[in-house]
Amino acid sequence: MKSPVTQPASPTVRTRIAPSPTGDPHIGNMYVALVNWAFARQSGGQFVVRIEDTDRTRFVEGAEAMFLRSLDWLGLDHDEGPDTGGPCGPYRQSERLPLYREHVDRLIAGGHAYRCFCTPERLKAVRQKATGEMTGYDRQCRTLPPEESARRAAAGEPHTVRLAVPLEGQTQFEDGLRGAITIEHKSVDDQVLLKSDGYPTYHLGVVVDDHLMGVTHVIRAEEWIVSTPKHVLLYQAFGWDVPRYYHMPLIRNPDRSKLSKRKNPTNVMWYRQQGFLPEAVVNYLGMLGHSMPDQREVFTREEFMREFSWQRVTTTGPVFDMEKFEWLNGEWIRRLPVETLTARLKSEGFWPAGLPEDKAQAIVGLMRERMRRLTEFSDAVAFFAARLPYEAALLVPDKKGKPIMTATETRTALSRLKEAYAAFAPEPDAEASGDSLSSQWQAAALEASGRALADELGWKPGEFFTPLRVAITCRRVSTPLFETMEILGREECLARMDEAIEKAKTLA
Ligand code: GLU
């Protein structure tokens, strides 16, 4: 084990995210990570990742790697961590056990902590009997003579180490978002600091590590506020400076309960699999409980980093709004250059097999305007890759399920359209000009010709184009018809119309 180094000399801002590897990377954790990252970067400081893996019963293999991948996906780069190393390592608490032991010994020697030899059975009985303000441990071992305590420990008797919370008075700390918070010592339990397996509890680990890692600003979720007085007591017992605290509001479900996977997906990787862009995830998280100075809703990670201000953080829990999140994702999809979007669709596995490469950019360009998630792409453009099966009846336009063309009218519509489009020149010709342009295979000309025909035959264009849309895209709902026809090309479109005409022959 690498020997841990003492505090870094530099007094610059140092923030950290300290995930416990107990499951999937939680979106709420990414939210807190984003704020830590932004604040460190805007202050020219450092952002550290520390893995709090001391609860061995809840440890999940692979959770750490997944967390780091999520940070990476969102572009929240860290300066120090279990993967990058750094001057304050190791960055996994399970690799720092001797340190906690050493620090706890210092607390015992100074009378700030004591060994507790109570058995789990006794503790359970105490808890059941507890009344009044003190609902925790009854402090029986607090009065053991130090020599007896040391002798029993030396003899190998199992024990924990507890914080000796002052019996009187109160502890106060400043929360950067909420002001002064005061807690009566009477209401604080003699918290376990070191468990009988030699692992620290969260309270000891977090204080020792935040201090040794030089963390200047502890930015974490609101749910940790109740733990902070215990941490402050520990800082005081060690004689260390207390860091600044900021407790971020908890993200809530629409019914204001704490964001939970029963109501909303909370695994950040789920959003990736569902075709959310990292730009949109960062942007959305940056909107939760924080507003930009000009109230702008669409912003980049860097803009958020520059503009982030504690003054504009609210302490009321922001509500997670999936509708808004998807809207924002659509905004970000539209903002990506076509080449970038194409590359993303491919690298994220949303590219359907067989999509013609030479038409890729044009197809992406069409879809870019109408997607909210990347997952929509593949289904919506599948017809470009191959002719998809459909029933002849789909060719017949209807209103509320009632056909508005007869079989004969549908066949006439299709063959007249085919005839009109067969008269078009093969491909658009950049050199051409004047009259000849109108008969070139381009969306505007294709549409004009279709409309003229609808007029001649006395149909509303919307109704008239249904057989054509189905012939070309094999679906009733599709990308804009004439732009689609332009991309698909004359030969393929005529062939599809022929196929539709054949199919329509089977209509009764
Ligand atoms: N390990 C804690 C967690 O899982 C860290 C809390 C803190 O930031 O102090 O969130």
Side-chain angles (χ1 to χ4, degrees), residues 16-22 29 32 36 50-53 58 93 202 206 210 218-221 223-224 227 231 245 247:
R16 55 41 167 203
I17 186 79
S20 300
T22 54
N29 243 335
V32 174
N36 272 285
R50 178 177 68 237
I51 305 297
E52 301 205 328
D53 56 351
R58 295 180 61 217
Q93 290 189 324
Y202 161 64
V206 83
D210 279 345
V218 171
I219 304 163
R220 61 185 170 198
E223 60 196 326
W224 302 105
S227 301
H231 302 175
Y245 287 104
H247 291 92

Side-chain angles (χ1 to χ4, degrees), residues 373-407:
R373 296 186 186 189
L374 299 183
T375 38
E376 290 162 37
F377 184 74
S378 177
D379 268 358
V381 304
F383 71 87
F384 277 106
R387 298 176 199 172
L388 310 174
Y390 63 90
E391 298 293 323
L394 201 67
L395 291 162
V396 183
D398 61 31
K399 214 178 238 159
K400 297 199 179 119
K402 281 220 177 82
I404 50 173
M405 271 187 194
T406 63

